[in-house]
Amino acid sequence: MDHHSPDDFTAHWAKGELGEVVVSAKEVHDRVNELGRAITEDYAEHPPLLVCVLKGAINFMSDLMRAIALPVEVDFMAVSSYGAATKTSGVVRIVKDLDVDLLDRDVLIVEDVVDSGLTLNYLRQYLGSRNPRSLEVCALLLKEGEQRVEQSLRYVGFSIPSDFVVGYGLDVNERYRNLDGIYTFIGTA
Ligand code: IMP
Ligand code: MG
């Protein structure tokens, strides 16, 4: 696969706005399956409740849950940093809360990308206060050198440079989520 131009089937309409391939569709697919196998081993005795952080983690959640060979349960939360800026404000608003009780559950937060870490930090405290048995994080992407809050991430798909990226759930103004690969964004936000 060519790693320097948008070449996945779903990306052709967006070509002018996409820069380099950061993670190809094939690399995403392979790594998500590896993560699924690791989670299957680690949680064999206690199948987790997967908590998807909408909307960016939808693609990841959808593939990851099918790569886990355990009776997992899933639930969804929606959070929003204020506005449509490409940098987080650190102020997180809960747009949709969970439906299920976390008491004594093994909760695994499924996140798209950890940038400053402020969103995740907030979520961890918020969910941790509901007394789960365990609370861990599975993040597809980790932006290198950007974390303003110390993070212990049990599972990370890829460490990537700090450029803004789109695709595989990640958006700019709600677009590009349906790309199979992950790309730098060079269009105008
Ligand atoms: P943090 O609070 O700075 O870690 O930002 C995390 C959230 O900001 C993610 O859940 C994304 O919704 C968004 N975000 C951060 N970096 C990117 C990016 O490169 N592309 C798209 N969304 C991003
Ligand atoms: Mg977003």
Side-chain angles (χ1 to χ4, degrees), residues 101-169:
D101 192 354
L102 299 190
L103 182 67
D104 293 332
R105 301 300 304 266
D106 290 280
V107 175
L108 184 56
I109 299 174
V110 177
E111 247 292 31
D112 52 357
V113 54
V114 178
D115 186 8
S116 70
L118 292 170
T119 304
L120 192 55
N121 194 51
Y122 179 88
L123 272 179
R124 233 200 266 257
Q125 283 173 20
Y126 186 74
L127 299 179
S129 71
R130 297 185 186 179
N131 302 312
R133 204 172 77 96
S134 67
L135 180 61
E136 301 284 353
V137 177
C138 180
L140 180 65
L141 304 173
L142 176 66
K143 297 260 186 96
E144 288 160 3
E146 291 293 309
Q147 285 73 57
R148 285 196 265 158
V149 188
E150 187 67 34
Q151 296 292 342
S152 77
L153 306 174
R154 178 98 182 250
Y155 307 95
V156 173
F158 302 91
S159 286
I160 61 166
S162 62
D163 311 293
F164 197 81
V165 294
V166 298
Y168 198 68

Side-chain angles (χ1 to χ4, degrees), residues 29-92:
H29 177 83
D30 291 349
R31 184 70 183 125
V32 172
N33 283 332
E34 279 177 13
L35 291 171
R37 280 195 294 272
I39 292 166
T40 300
E41 280 187 19
D42 296 347
Y43 284 85
E45 304 304 317
H46 299 278
L49 170 69
L50 304 177
V51 171
C52 175
V53 185
L54 295 172
K55 303 175 192 168
I58 50 171
N59 306 44
F60 184 35
M61 176 72 149
S62 174
D63 288 340
L64 183 68
M65 63 190 269
R66 288 176 289 172
I68 300 172
L70 296 172
V72 296
E73 293 176 35
V74 302
D75 203 355
F76 298 86
M77 268 191 91
V79 302
S80 170
S81 318
Y82 284 95
T86 56
K87 275 286 168 189
T88 186
S89 60
V91 182
V92 177

